[in-house]
């Protein structure tokens, strides 16, 4: 059974940084694309970033380009999201996502984590 467990969320001041981690278990994920979504209160869940299985291609939402960096360590079955220059509008629950298809991982991933709260104070 696939399991995704996020960590690293918390409270940070505007302009600060956080690094989220997502550990995957249940099978070998080196051939899977992985990504991050977020959902703010009262809003729909939105795509944030994704990374191809070999780490060679990354994709970002326009709202986070230049501030967030996605990376992965296939030996650890872990994907990371380094978030810099955080803004209050980045406040949301952040969800890890997994799918064999890079297009689906940015739209309708087959697997989700339980989410981790990120709160950015002004």
């Amino acid at each position: 059974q696939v399991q995704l467990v996020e960590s690293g969320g918390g409270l940070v001041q505007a302009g600060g940084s956080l690094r989220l981690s997502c550990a995957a278990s249940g099978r070998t994920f080196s051939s899977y694309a992985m990504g991050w979504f977020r959902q703010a209160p009262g809003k729909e869940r939105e795509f944030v970033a994704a990374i191809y299985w070999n780490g060679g291609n990354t994709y970002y939402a326009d709202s986070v380009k230049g501030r967030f960096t996605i990376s992965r360590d296939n030996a650890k079955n872990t994907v990371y999201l380094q978030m810099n220059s955080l803004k209050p509008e980045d406040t949301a629950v952040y969800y890890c996502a997994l799918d064999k298809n890079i297009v689906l991982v940015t739209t309708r991933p087959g697997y989700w984590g339980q989410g981790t709260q990120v709160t950015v104070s002004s």
Side-chain angles (χ1 to χ4, degrees), residues 41-110:
K43 295 188 176 181
E44 292 188 354
R45 193 172 297 190
E46 64 176 4
F47 167 73
V48 175
I51 187 166
Y52 198 49
W53 68 272
N54 63 359
N57 294 86
T58 56
Y59 307 88
Y60 297 95
D62 287 343
S63 58
V64 306
K65 277 181 184 175
R67 299 188 299 122
F68 290 11
T69 302
I70 189 171
S71 61
R72 66 188 292 166
D73 184 339
N74 285 341
K76 297 181 179 179
N77 280 348
T78 300
V79 64
Y80 305 97
L81 187 67
Q82 178 66 43
M83 306 185 295
N84 299 329
S85 302
L86 282 161
K87 305 175 182 179
E89 51 263 44
D90 294 318
T91 295
V93 177
Y94 283 71
Y95 296 90
C96 180
L98 176 78
D99 203 283
K100 278 224 164 197
N101 187 294
I102 186 64
V103 174
L104 288 178
V105 90
T106 66
T107 55
R108 291 184 301 160

Side-chain angles (χ1 to χ4, degrees), residues 21-32:
S21 300
C22 172
S25 61
R27 62 183 63 173
T28 301
F29 296 99
S30 57
S31 63
Y32 282 69

Side-chain angles (χ1 to χ4, degrees), residues 11-22:
L11 174 65
V12 64
Q13 288 189 330
S17 298
L18 281 175
R19 189 175 85 150
L20 305 183
S21 300
C22 172

